[in-house]
Amino acid sequence: MNQKSLRISIVIAVRKDQTTVPALTALKAISNSSINFEVLLVRGKQPSRQRNLAVQSASADILYFLDDDSVPVEGNLERLVNAFSDPAVAVIGGPNLCPRDAS
């Protein structure tokens, strides 16, 4: 599949009462990307169930799961699409790095 035509569904599970979602803030900061993506924010108390529900409504070629406190960096979406443009690639993961200021 052509790299430019690949789309990403970004799935983020959050608590019902959660008002601040660092992952959304980070995505807004990198939203100037040329990559076509949608964000599926699913509220509830059961993250696995929430993610499964989001996947059912996802419309893109690639599923990208983020924790609510994940902070994707500039270029992540481009790297993701570039990697998946190789037909031999089916799954990509990590690294999952903790911020220096985390407790």
Side-chain angles (χ1 to χ4, degrees):
M1 186 172 277
N2 180 338
Q3 178 178 345
K4 288 290 184 188
S5 66
L6 289 175
R7 292 186 59 240
I8 303 171
S9 289
I10 302 171
V11 177
I12 307 170
V14 299
R15 296 181 313 278
K16 285 183 179 183
D17 61 344
Q18 188 170 350
T19 57
T20 303
V21 183
L24 279 179
T25 304
L27 285 171
K28 287 178 186 175
I30 64 172
S31 65
N32 62 349
S33 167
S34 63
I35 304 300
N36 189 354
F37 68 94
E38 66 179 354
V39 176
L40 303 169
L41 187 73
V42 192
R43 295 188 177 275
K45 295 183 200 176
Q46 301 173 325
S48 293
R49 180 166 166 65
Q50 291 163 245
R51 290 180 188 108
N52 288 339
L53 289 171
V55 167
Q56 291 175 8
S57 63
S59 64
D61 308 292
I62 300 169
L63 295 172
Y64 184 24
F65 296 95
L66 291 176
D67 288 338
D68 60 341
D69 61 349
S70 294
V71 182
V73 297
E74 189 72 40
N76 262 25
L77 301 179
E78 289 81 5
R79 282 189 293 278
L80 185 66
V81 167
N82 186 46
F84 275 110
S85 64
D86 178 346
V89 174
V91 177
I92 300 172
N96 188 2
L97 304 174
C98 198
R100 293 180 192 258
D101 62 347
S103 60

